[in-house]
Amino acid sequence: MPGKLYLCATPIGNLEDITYRVVRVLGEVDIIGAEDTRNSIKLLNHFDIKTPMESYHEFNKYDKAKDLVNKMLDGKNVALITDAGTPGISDPGEELVKQCHEAGIEVTSLPGATACTTALSMSGLSTRRFCFEAFLPKDKKTKEKVLESLQEEPRTIIIYEAPHRLKTTLQDLKNHLGNRRITFCREMTKKYEQVLRTTIDEAMEYYKVNEPRGEFVLVIEGKSLEEIEQAKRDRWDNMSIEEHMDVYLKQGFDKKESMKLVAKDRGVAKRDIYNSLVKEK
């Protein structure tokens, strides 16, 4: 029988946040795949776990995943841990999970801490729907495209950021999103945990005199539905009725359906659209 992959969530700061189940499984499996063995050994020593570790990280994730899959096919059970939080969420564990599924190996997740939802829960912003972007791309063109895609995003946005890039990221957010409400979470679950609820403009001023320290989770207010609807109305107001009709005709709608859609966009009766088209002719 093949072995099994256990995705084990580890604390994002406070070691008391680990679950009994994770401690038990880490002690029972044959191998632990760890993103940074030097960091993970502190966790294992704290809970007196003697299971051997093997390094699994961004730079060896393809070849090492194949190696671990082969060991599981031979009957070994493997636990995967990341430096902090849940493996596979914005980290190289995603590749190992994919290869396990392709090889028919059972995968299970042992839930626990995740930085994005921890920050969201105490942000004071809407938690009903959210958009998780993790770290913004380092490539400028790719980052620009991501930020442009977020301009009309109505859901709460969650971004991770390192301290040395925070000021640049704030300027990028200001340029693309404007002055939104934002909550900064750092050192979460630790002694000096900080939750700063402010605006992008105020944050830019704050970090001019306060040097950013520690890893950040930024929770950013999404664009309100009212703003989105107003932007649509402004767009239609700048178009003639014929131009507006062409938008839908080019998408393959017939004339009758296009008139109905135009009327809905503009908040008027279909008859008004028909009369306007007749007048324009």
Side-chain angles (χ1 to χ4, degrees):
M1 292 289 289
K4 188 173 178 178
L5 176 64
Y6 296 84
L7 303 172
C8 296
T10 54
I12 59 175
N14 194 316
L15 292 181
E16 293 179 0
D17 291 335
I18 201 165
T19 68
Y20 290 118
R21 185 182 174 207
V22 167
V23 172
R24 175 180 61 78
V25 167
L26 290 178
E28 292 176 351
V29 294
D30 300 293
I31 303 165
I32 296 173
E35 187 174 9
D36 187 337
T37 55
R38 296 166 301 178
N39 181 63
S40 296
I41 192 64
K42 300 171 188 175
L43 176 75
L44 300 192
N45 287 342
H46 183 83
F47 292 102
D48 196 29
I49 295 167
K50 307 298 184 184
T51 307
M53 280 191 293
E54 295 187 12
S55 182
Y56 175 86
H57 50 72
E58 182 65 30
F59 303 104
N60 73 350
K61 63 182 181 182
Y62 299 106
D63 292 337
K64 191 59 183 179
K66 291 177 184 177
D67 177 53
L68 291 173
V69 165
N70 286 332
K71 288 176 179 176
M72 283 181 270
L73 289 172
D74 287 338
K76 301 288 187 183
N77 288 315
V78 175
L80 184 66
I81 57 176
T82 184
D83 283 347
T86 300
I89 304 299
S90 187
D91 92 349
E94 177 183 10
E95 177 61 27
L96 179 57
V97 172
K98 176 186 173 184
Q99 291 196 27
C100 281
H101 283 300
E102 290 172 349
I105 292 169
E106 186 179 353
V107 178
T108 190
S109 182
L110 282 61
T114 304
C116 60
T117 53
T118 302
L120 177 65
S121 67
M122 57 184 178
S123 67
L125 297 174
S126 174
T127 61
R128 193 177 73 85
R129 298 171 69 230
F130 66 93
C131 168
F132 176 55
E133 283 294 329
F135 288 95
L136 291 173
K138 292 180 182 178
D139 178 74
K140 287 186 178 180
K141 287 185 178 179
T142 308
K143 181 170 70 171
E144 190 77 12
K145 288 180 181 178
V146 170
L147 289 167
E148 285 175 3
S149 74
L150 295 175
Q151 288 176 338
E152 303 300 315
E153 177 57 67
R155 297 170 295 179
T156 300
I157 302 162
I158 304 174
I159 292 173
Y160 291 164
E161 194 50 276
H164 64 280
R165 289 196 298 265
L166 183 68
K167 293 179 183 179
T168 300
T169 295
L170 282 174
Q171 186 62 62
D172 288 337
L173 292 173
K174 169 66 176 178
N175 293 343
H176 289 84
L177 307 183
N179 186 29
R180 305 267 186 98
R181 288 190 297 168
I182 185 171
T183 300
F184 294 78
C185 299
R186 57 180 291 274
E187 297 293 293
M188 290 186 296
T189 77
K190 300 178 184 178
K191 183 177 181 180
Y192 296 107
E193 176 179 88
Q194 182 187 37
V195 180
L196 177 63
R197 192 167 184 265
T198 180
T199 65
I200 291 176
D201 280 354
E202 290 171 352
M204 291 174 71
E205 292 300 315
Y206 178 82
Y207 285 112
K208 281 181 182 177
V209 294
N210 294 277
E211 195 61 29
R213 297 182 185 278
E215 297 295 320
F216 286 82
V217 181
L218 313 182
V219 187
I220 308 156
E221 178 181 43
K223 192 167 187 177
S224 72
L225 294 176
E226 291 78 13
E227 287 179 299
I228 293 171
E229 289 302 316
Q230 184 59 53
K232 286 180 181 177
R233 287 193 292 271
D234 291 343
R235 178 192 174 196
W236 304 135
D237 288 345
N238 291 326
M239 281 186 181
S240 68
I241 301 294
E242 281 193 337
E243 289 171 333
H244 197 160
M245 283 285 292
D246 283 340
V247 170
Y248 292 113
L249 290 170
K250 287 176 181 177
Q251 293 178 41
F253 293 98
D254 62 29
K255 193 170 183 180
K256 186 177 179 181
E257 188 64 26
S258 294
M259 280 195 288
K260 188 187 294 185
L261 291 168
V262 170
K264 183 180 178 182
D265 288 340
R266 292 176 176 259
V268 298
K270 191 172 75 171
R271 183 189 303 168
D272 295 332
I273 302 301
Y274 175 80
N275 290 337
S276 294
L277 290 169
V278 169
K279 284 181 181 178
E280 288 178 16
K281 286 183 178 179

